[in-house]
Amino acid sequence: MNLRELSEHLNLSQTTVSRALNGYPEVNETTRRRVTEAAERFNYRPNVRAQKLAKGRSMSIGHIIPFSNQNEMVNVVFADFIAGAGEVYANHGYSMTLSLVRDEEELTAYRGVAEKGAVDGIIVHSPTRNDPRIAFLTALDIPFLVHGRASEITTPYAWMDVNNKRALEMATKHLIGLGHRRIALINGQEKMDFALRRRAGFLAALEAAGLTPDPAFMASGEMSEPHGYGCARAMLNRETPPTAFVTSSIVPALGIRRAIEERGMRMGRDVSLVCFDDAISYLPNGDERPVFTAVRSSVRDAGKRCAELLIERIKDPTKPPGNELWEAELVIGPSTGPCP
């Protein structure tokens, strides 16, 4: 079924149907729902080439990844984010442009896609505390949205983030409530803003309980299974080892579990563990029952929401940049128990 046939079936003009499918605000909600339900029922898909010509847009969203972060391209967290965003792009007739560039050419790449009109908007990944990309993209006057935040930038920009500080504070307080006092943090790379916020949450919980953090019980690095294993193994080999761990991802949590079990100890009885769980579809935290006690927030859902927010900005670039902050949920599993 094409646009003309769908319009005739609904007894609406082609313009109204097109505007309803593309989310224009002047179409009332009743009409929009009627049009989208009919489009789904008849398996109608808009002609992307025609949309590009009519709107003067590329109908593409850009994701630019520097070589130093190329591990993101195969990272299960990044893959789930892209899967969520891609689903929304497809539903709105957008494609995705994913580029890997040299670090020193990253800003040039942003300028290139903006000036050529190769993309209609950009999603910025892995922001640092004072990320230079934000001011650069603002000056280019292209719609963009940051997945995360840059703590030191006070000028308005569009972002969507999870409350990383509160999530790790909640995880650490859970362990303190179980009687743990020697708690270790195995964090992500602390050049990233999210990891600094998670560290701040960990320290805030210790401070509130009157506990002094031990630098030997804090490590940061790539969120991989070997990193979690190596850090946990070294800490457990200390004369006075930690009785509990908090970690920034379910991936290093697997390595921490390996280090615990290698010593003949049982997770949840001898050593407790709480992780941040991105609800990764390819690495779920158990089936009916969670494997790890975790603070959970779906990165796939975050990808969907980032895509929706960016598309809204593309449709109306005059809108002030919006922000959205999600709270993580504490899920109790068998990886935590009273301090032995």
Side-chain angles (χ1 to χ4, degrees):
M1 177 176 279
N2 58 34
L3 179 62
R4 179 183 59 77
E5 291 167 336
L6 182 61
S7 303
E8 288 174 354
H9 172 80
L10 292 165
N11 198 25
L12 295 169
S13 70
Q14 292 185 40
T15 300
T16 299
V17 172
S18 178
R19 287 176 177 272
L21 290 171
N22 287 289
Y24 282 83
E26 60 265 32
V27 180
N28 68 59
E29 190 57 37
T30 303
T31 301
R32 188 190 319 282
R33 191 179 303 113
R34 183 172 161 235
V35 170
T36 53
E37 286 174 357
E40 187 174 341
R41 186 164 66 251
F42 294 109
N43 198 30
Y44 168 76
R45 292 291 179 270
N47 184 314
V48 175
R49 185 171 180 274
Q51 281 189 324
K52 291 179 180 179
L53 292 171
K55 298 179 180 180
R57 295 178 186 163
S58 69
M59 300 303 294
S60 182
I61 306 293
H63 298 257
I64 294 175
I65 310 297
F67 279 172
S68 62
N69 289 343
Q70 64 182 300
N71 60 308
E72 285 198 28
M73 302 285 277
V74 292
N75 183 298
V76 288
V77 176
F78 180 73
D80 244 30
F81 178 93
I82 288 296
E87 184 179 328
V88 174
Y89 297 157
N91 289 339
H92 287 79
Y94 281 84
S95 60
M96 176 169 45
T97 301
L98 192 58
S99 305
L100 188 63
V101 300
R102 293 185 177 88
D103 286 49
E104 64 273 15
E105 295 174 358
E106 184 179 5
L107 296 183
T108 304
Y110 282 121
R111 183 186 298 280
V113 295
E115 291 180 348
K116 292 174 186 174
V119 298
D120 297 322
I122 291 169
I123 288 186
V124 177
H125 297 274
S126 305
T128 56
R129 186 159 284 246
N130 188 15
D131 201 301
R133 295 173 294 179
I134 294 170
F136 190 82
L137 287 167
T138 301
L140 285 179
D141 196 26
I142 183 171
F144 72 94
L145 182 132
V146 180
H147 178 217
R149 284 176 286 171
S151 301
E152 294 180 6
I153 295 180
T154 56
T155 52
Y157 62 95
W159 55 261
M160 184 268 156
D161 198 11
V162 65
N163 195 333
N164 288 293
K165 181 178 184 292
R166 191 172 297 169
L168 265 283
E169 188 172 5
M170 179 166 49
T172 309
K173 282 182 175 179
H174 176 69
L175 292 168
I176 292 170
L178 291 170
H180 295 277
R181 296 296 179 266
R182 296 196 307 275
I183 305 171
L185 170 68
I186 298 180
N187 201 7
Q189 297 183 55
E190 292 184 354
K191 65 179 181 179
M192 303 299 181
D193 193 87
F194 83 89
L196 289 169
R197 289 180 186 274
R198 292 181 184 181
R199 184 175 189 268
F202 171 76
L203 294 175
L206 293 183
E207 183 180 353
L211 300 175
T212 303
D214 184 344
F217 287 171
M218 288 187 284
S220 64
E222 185 178 327
M223 293 191 296
S224 65
E225 194 275 351
H227 174 68
Y229 168 75
C231 292
R233 186 171 181 269
M235 292 176 186
L236 290 170
N237 281 336
R238 293 179 61 85
E239 185 176 344
T240 308
T243 63
F245 290 89
V246 178
T247 186
S248 271
S249 169
I250 197 170
V251 182
L254 297 172
I256 298 170
R257 181 176 66 178
R258 177 158 67 102
I260 292 169
E261 292 175 349
E262 188 179 78
R263 293 179 65 86
M265 305 169 84
R266 197 173 86 190
M267 185 177 67
R269 183 193 67 189
D270 304 307
V271 180
S272 287
L273 169 59
V274 184
C275 67
F276 190 98
D277 177 23
D278 288 287
I280 303 165
S281 55
Y282 300 105
L283 189 58
N285 184 17
D287 296 320
E288 295 180 1
R289 187 182 183 210
V291 174
F292 299 105
T293 295
V295 280
R296 182 173 62 193
S297 182
S298 168
V299 71
R300 193 183 190 100
D301 289 346
K304 290 180 182 179
R305 187 60 182 147
C306 283
E308 290 168 351
L309 292 170
L310 180 56
I311 290 171
E312 287 174 14
R313 286 191 57 72
I314 291 168
K315 288 176 179 175
D316 185 3
T318 62
K319 284 179 63 175
N323 309 139
E324 198 162 296
L325 184 64
W326 289 5
E327 296 295 337
E329 168 195 17
L330 180 64
V331 177
I332 306 299
S335 68
T336 52
C339 180

